[in-house]
Amino acid sequence: MSHRGCATVALVLAVTGTPLVAACSTPVPGPEVDAAAFLKDWSNQDWPSMQKLAQAPPANFQTVNQDAFTALGVKQATFAPGFLDQTSDTASELVTERLSLNGLGQLTVDTSLHLTQQQDGKWLVNWTPSTILPQLKPGDHLAVRTFWPHRGLILAADGTPLAAKEQVVTTGAHDRRTTHNVWQAINPDLAEGLVGYTGPITKAELKQLGEPYQSQNYIGQSGIEWGEERKLAGSPGAALEVVNSAGATVSTIRTYPDQPGRNVRTTIDMQAQEAAEAALAGEKQTAALVAVDARTGDVLAASSVNAGYDLAMDGGFPPGSTFKIFDSTALLEHGLTPESAASCPKTITEDGEVFHNAEGDGPVSTMLEAFTESCNTAFIGLVSNDLNDSDILTATSQYRIGKALHIGVDAYPGSVPKPLDVADLAATSIGQGRVLMSPLAMAMVAAAVDTGTVHPARLVEGASTAAAKTLPAAVVASLHTMMASVVSSGTAAGTGLPAGTYAKTGTAEYGTTNPLKLDAWLVGFNGNIAFAALVVDSPGDGGPTCGPIVAKFLDAFG
């Protein structure tokens, strides 16, 4: 029991009988005062001050304390004193530790401080590693072992898995071997593009993702594996362990459960996907093919070859004469019809820049014939005479060009910058200059022309979508007439496209070589299936190059 009062002692000298009063001594602080100081320094991670309050601390006192907090990832610590038991010059105080841990939450531990009173009256803590945690002994250290749950599956619309798991063994420090689960698309075309794959996390990715990811994790590196990483991966569990000097776990302080990864179901139709891959099989150039359900905006198939990335979804290339769909939309909305007069000179000059025809320069007398023959000079003249740059931008905006695509993967929505001058407007009107489109964006344009409804693209179930909008019925009817003519007697005729196909070809010229390099396009629809095909650095124009690819796809799926 503690005695803390000041005793007055009367000493009576027998000889004199005179009472003397002894002076009152200064009160000596109890152990709870020094214990509180120790706990305050502990919560502040002030190891040097803590060490001064410990009795005969070991040389590694500060290191052991710091290592424990570092291993646990302590962000904040509080220590609440409890019952104190004192007997003479020793005391023991119960302490509740409340530790806030990075990525794990709260950890509450009961421990004790054992104190001894020194000759000067001060109380010092008899510190050992078990002061930190009762299970911790000299030579032991703390470790957090994380374990990730089963990764979710990427599924086609019918539930067919689109990726499979493989195990990869890596060798680290001290020849420590670690087994990682690596997910790869079942089909290599999907691995290069839509589905993607998993691999070691990079420093940039670690910084972007933050907790609970660590430098040794494997994560999605492209496609849906990357876009839906957190959903697929779930959240890791963890075990807080005491490890001895031999590296063996001697006790587990606490286990935190994991949160399993969730499956990601896509809109991919396996028959359509297989047909798209077969259509591009053997293609030596960089190429892509996208197919969508025109009624819903659902992506049915997306295949990229020889690209090294998801060209089908995220590529950006000049669309060439497929841009004439936008020109025609604006012209039709400004009162022109397919029978409006047009001519197709071999060249046309705008603001000193000479433009020529890439696909056709035959005699035409109407906008319908100019569209059928894909006459550049005709459309440059029509746009120059009847439209301004804002009309073109309005038309592309109606088709959601440039609006972000939230579909679960990186996807390029296209870009049509405001023309800088008359010559730039002319280049824009034939899909050149600074205009860029992705196969996905152009497939969605074709889908809108098919149904008259502009749907946002959909790929991953649960991804946010915008409301659908409608195009003017008269515009849609005229575009149907014009795109049918392209297949029956125009630049896509004789390429094997099945009956009922509506299309627009495109040939984008670029570079400085003679002849110029070409990118070939074909966009359109057949029934409820809209499509866009692109061949980069093509050996020929859009119709002859992409027509057979699309025909093979439609024959297999349409």
Side-chain angles (χ1 to χ4, degrees):
M1 175 161 185
S2 176
H3 299 278
R4 297 193 182 125
C6 176
T8 300
V9 181
L11 299 177
V12 180
L13 297 182
V15 175
T16 63
T18 304
L20 297 176
V21 179
C24 179
S25 62
T26 301
V28 177
E32 66 275 8
V33 175
D34 291 313
F38 186 90
L39 296 180
K40 180 180 178 181
D41 291 337
W42 199 359
S43 66
N44 293 329
Q45 301 181 44
D46 186 350
W47 316 127
S49 296
M50 280 178 65
Q51 189 170 9
K52 294 175 183 178
L53 297 175
Q55 178 171 292
N60 63 350
F61 175 90
Q62 295 185 35
T63 301
V64 171
N65 280 279
Q66 180 62 66
D67 288 351
F69 268 46
T70 299
L72 295 178
V74 176
K75 295 190 297 184
Q76 185 177 13
T78 61
F79 300 89
F83 177 74
L84 186 147
D85 182 27
Q86 178 185 348
T87 59
S88 185
D89 59 354
T90 63
S92 178
E93 183 178 59
L94 297 179
V95 175
T96 300
E97 303 180 39
R98 293 184 176 88
L99 309 178
S100 178
L101 310 183
N102 276 325
L104 297 176
Q106 294 294 319
L107 173 66
T108 301
V109 177
D110 292 326
T111 187
S112 298
L113 294 185
H114 301 286
L115 303 98
T116 301
Q117 189 175 34
Q118 309 302 300
Q119 289 185 353
D120 61 0
K122 187 175 182 178
W123 293 82
L124 296 179
V125 175
N126 297 319
W127 184 92
T128 67
S130 63
T131 305
I132 301 173
L133 289 173
Q135 301 96 321
L136 197 62
K137 307 302 180 188
D140 293 346
H141 65 272
L142 296 173
V144 177
R145 178 176 58 84
T146 58
F147 45 89
W148 285 82
H150 291 296
R151 191 174 180 88
L153 301 175
I154 300 174
L155 306 173
D158 64 359
T160 301
L162 297 177
K165 180 176 64 176
E166 299 177 359
Q167 288 193 332
V168 174
V169 178
T170 59
T171 303
H174 308 296
D175 292 328
R176 182 175 180 179
R177 295 164 63 84
T178 305
T179 301
H180 303 276
N181 290 325
V182 176
W183 289 86
Q184 295 274 7
I186 292 174
N187 185 294
D189 286 353
L190 287 172
E192 190 171 88
L194 192 68
V195 172
Y197 62 95
T198 63
I201 193 170
T202 66
K203 289 183 179 180
E205 291 165 344
L206 182 59
K207 182 177 180 180
Q208 179 178 350
L209 291 172
E211 296 178 4
Y213 289 89
Q214 298 176 339
S215 59
Q216 69 271 25
N217 290 147
Y218 273 48
I219 66 165
Q221 293 295 321
S222 65
I224 297 172
E225 293 285 8
W226 164 253
E228 297 291 314
E229 164 62 27
R230 290 191 182 276
K231 182 175 181 179
L232 289 165
S235 299
L240 308 185
E241 298 176 339
V242 176
V243 180
N244 64 21
S245 58
T249 299
V250 294
S251 65
T252 299
I253 301 163
R254 179 173 173 181
T255 300
Y256 295 84
D258 59 45
Q259 296 294 325
R262 291 174 290 162
N263 294 343
V264 172
R265 186 178 293 269
T266 70
T267 58
I268 293 297
D269 181 291
M270 287 305 298
Q271 183 183 353
Q273 182 64 37
E274 290 168 0
E277 292 167 6
L280 289 176
E283 177 60 53
K284 294 180 173 55
Q285 302 299 115
T286 298
L289 176 61
V290 175
V292 301
D293 187 330
R295 299 166 297 181
T296 61
D298 288 358
V299 177
L300 302 177
S303 184
S304 303
V305 295
N306 308 319
Y309 72 106
D310 194 355
L311 169 63
M313 295 287 162
D314 205 29
F317 290 83
S321 290
T322 62
F323 195 90
K324 290 167 185 168
I325 295 174
F326 304 118
D327 297 338
S328 299
T329 298
L331 291 165
L332 292 166
E333 289 181 333
H334 279 73
L336 275 69
T337 71
E339 300 306 318
S340 293
S343 63
C344 185
K346 290 185 179 297
T347 64
I348 188 170
T349 302
E350 294 289 337
D351 201 19
E353 187 167 342
V354 179
F355 295 87
H356 65 275
N357 295 308
E359 293 181 90
D361 56 7
V364 302
S365 60
T366 65
M367 186 168 76
L368 171 60
E369 292 175 349
F371 191 91
T372 302
E373 295 297 327
S374 198
C375 178
N376 287 346
T377 58
F379 272 88
I380 290 173
L382 289 168
V383 169
S384 176
N385 292 332
D386 294 277
L387 303 175
N388 56 46
D389 52 13
S390 63
D391 297 327
I392 294 294
L393 297 178
T394 297
T396 58
S397 178
Q398 284 180 271
Y399 290 94
R400 297 186 55 82
I401 298 301
K403 293 183 172 64
L405 297 167
H406 303 287
I407 62 172
V409 297
D410 292 336
Y412 186 60
S415 174
V416 185
K418 180 179 174 64
L420 300 174
D421 50 36
V422 174
D424 197 22
L425 175 60
T428 297
S429 70
I430 57 173
Q432 304 263 183
R434 295 175 295 142
V435 178
L436 296 174
M437 295 289 167
S438 66
L440 173 63
M442 291 309 299
M444 295 308 300
V445 170
V449 175
D450 184 3
T451 63
T453 301
V454 183
H455 291 283
R458 293 179 66 247
L459 174 63
V460 171
E461 286 189 358
S464 61
T465 57
K469 296 183 178 180
T470 58
L471 298 172
V475 170
V476 172
S478 294
L479 289 173
H480 279 211
T481 298
M482 297 163 74
M483 293 176 73
S485 181
V486 170
V487 176
S488 63
S489 60
T491 52
T495 60
L497 294 169
T501 301
Y502 300 72
K504 181 68 191 81
T505 60
T507 304
E509 298 176 316
Y510 63 96
T512 58
T513 60
N514 186 14
L516 297 173
K517 291 185 176 182
L518 305 177
D519 288 342
W521 289 82
L522 184 70
V523 306
F525 54 90
N526 185 299
N528 296 317
I529 309 304
F531 55 82
L534 166 66
V535 176
V536 180
D537 196 8
S538 168
D541 291 342
T545 301
C546 295
I549 293 173
V550 173
K552 187 174 181 180
F553 166 74
L554 291 175
D555 287 342
F557 179 63

